[in-house]
C-alpha cells in the first residue's frame, strides 16, 4: 500500500511512503482488539477502593439488647451490617485489575487497529519535522496545515522529541507519542493518525515479528 507524503503545510512532496500489507492491510481481529483495549483500560484503574467490614468498624462490643423478650430480631453487635453505621457486607477491597496478554496477541491487536484506520483513509504520512523551541502555536499551525485541527489526532514520532511533545501538551484533542509508545487504545481513540515518515520503519519492524 502506498500513501503520499505531505509536508507540515499539507502539500504533497512528490514522494510516496510504502505501508507494509502485513501491518496495515490485514483482516482485523476484533476480539484481539477488544482484549488489548480492555487490558489498557484495566491498567488505568488504581484499584484503591476500600470499604470497612464489621471487624474494622470502631464501636462497642457489648450486646445491645437482651436476647429474648423484645419482640424483635436478636442482635449482638452494633457493628452488624444490618444497622446504620455498621460494617459493609462483601465491600470493595484494594485489588489489581490488570491481566496478562501474550505479546503476539497484542501485536495482532495493534496491526488490526492500524488496518482499520488505513481502511478508513484516516492515516496521514508527513515528512520529518521538529521545532526549535516548544510553542503551541507552531503545533496548531501543523494541525491546520494537515486539516485535522478540529479532530482527535495522534501524532507518531520516530523517536522522542521534547519540543514537539511540549508544544502539543496544552491541546486536549491531540496527542504525541513515539513509535514505541503506540497502543491499540490510542490508535482507535483518534480520528486521524499522523505518522512522521521516520517512524514507519520502526513500527513495521516491531509489528512484523
Amino acid at each position: 500500500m502506498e500513501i503520499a507524503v505531505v509536508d507540515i503545510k499539507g502539500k504533497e512532496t512528490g514522494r510516496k511512503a510504502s505501508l507494509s500489507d502485513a501491518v496495515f492491510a490485514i483482516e482485523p481481529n476484533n476480539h484481539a482488539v477488544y482484549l488489548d483495549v480492555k487490558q489498557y483500560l484495566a491498567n488505568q484503574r488504581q484499584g484503591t477502593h476500600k470499604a470497612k467490614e464489621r471487624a474494622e468498624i470502631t464501636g462497642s462490643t457489648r450486646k445491645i439488647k437482651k436476647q429474648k423478650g423484645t419482640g424483635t430480631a436478636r442482635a449482638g453487635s452494633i457493628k452488624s451490617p444490618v444497622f446504620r453505621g455498621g460494617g459493609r457486607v462483601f465491600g470493595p477491597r484494594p485489588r489489581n485489575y490488570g491481566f496478562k496478554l501474550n505479546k503476539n496477541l497484542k501485536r495482532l491487536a495493534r496491526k488490526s487497529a492500524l488496518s482499520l484506520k488505513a481502511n478508513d483513509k484516516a492515516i496521514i504520512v508527513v515528512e520529518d519535522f521538529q521545532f526549535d523551541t516548544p510553542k503551541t502555536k507552531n503545533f496548531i499551525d501543523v494541525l491546520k496545515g494537515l486539516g485535522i485541527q478540529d479532530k482527535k489526532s495522534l501524532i507518531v514520532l520516530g523517536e522522542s522529541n521534547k519540543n514537539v511533545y511540549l508544544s502539543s501538551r496544552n491541546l486536549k484533542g491531540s496527542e504525541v507519542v513515539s513509535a514505541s509508545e503506540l497502543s491499540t487504545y490510542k490508535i482507535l481513540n483518534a480520528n486521524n493518525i499522523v505518522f512522521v515518515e521516520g517512524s514507519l520503519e520502526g513500527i513495521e519492524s516491531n509489528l512484523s515479528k
Side-chain angles (χ1 to χ4, degrees), residues 50-57 79-83 85-93:
K50 179 70 176 75
K52 289 185 177 181
E53 299 184 0
R54 63 185 296 165
E56 299 164 316
I57 295 290
K79 298 185 282 188
S80 169
V82 301
F83 294 125
R88 182 168 172 188
V89 182
F90 304 127
R93 296 178 175 181

Side-chain angles (χ1 to χ4, degrees), residues 16-199:
K16 287 186 179 292
S18 179
L19 303 182
S20 171
D21 287 346
V23 175
F24 292 91
I26 70 165
E27 180 68 31
N29 188 312
N30 292 331
H31 191 62
V33 171
Y34 159 75
L35 289 174
D36 201 15
V37 171
K38 182 181 178 182
Q39 186 195 52
Y40 179 90
L41 294 176
N43 288 337
Q44 306 307 301
R45 300 185 67 173
Q46 287 186 321
T48 54
H49 39 47
K50 179 70 176 75
K52 289 185 177 181
E53 299 184 0
R54 63 185 296 165
E56 299 164 316
I57 295 290
T58 300
S60 173
T61 57
R62 76 177 181 88
K63 186 171 174 64
I64 59 177
K65 62 182 179 181
K66 64 181 183 177
Q67 178 79 347
K68 301 174 74 65
T70 61
T72 58
R74 56 194 174 186
S77 172
I78 196 69
K79 298 185 282 188
S80 169
V82 301
F83 294 125
R84 182 177 178 274
R88 182 168 172 188
V89 182
F90 304 127
R93 296 178 175 181
R95 57 167 290 197
N96 177 15
Y97 283 91
F99 57 93
K100 182 182 179 300
L101 287 179
N102 293 329
K103 287 182 181 178
N104 286 340
L105 188 142
K106 291 172 73 69
R107 281 197 200 100
L108 175 60
R110 271 174 285 168
K111 289 191 286 188
S112 297
L114 289 171
S115 297
L116 287 169
K117 289 298 179 183
N119 194 43
D120 292 341
K121 302 287 191 292
I123 289 179
I124 300 170
V125 178
V126 66
E127 65 181 0
D128 293 346
F129 69 93
Q130 56 185 359
F131 299 145
D132 295 330
T133 56
K135 199 168 182 66
T136 304
K137 183 178 183 299
N138 291 344
F139 192 82
I140 292 174
D141 289 340
V142 172
L143 297 181
K144 286 181 178 177
L146 299 175
I148 55 174
Q149 69 274 20
D150 297 324
K151 299 178 181 178
K152 266 188 177 180
S153 58
L154 179 68
I155 286 75
V156 184
L157 305 176
E159 55 187 23
S160 179
N161 186 316
K162 187 175 180 181
N163 287 344
V164 175
Y165 168 72
L166 292 176
S167 300
S168 71
R169 198 165 54 170
N170 278 344
L171 301 177
K172 187 177 180 181
S174 187
E175 186 176 4
V176 172
V177 297
S178 63
S180 60
E181 297 170 330
L182 196 60
S183 72
T184 305
Y185 177 84
K186 290 180 178 179
I187 294 168
L188 295 176
N189 192 41
N191 297 121
N192 289 90
I193 315 292
V194 179
F195 289 104
V196 173
E197 196 173 4
S199 69

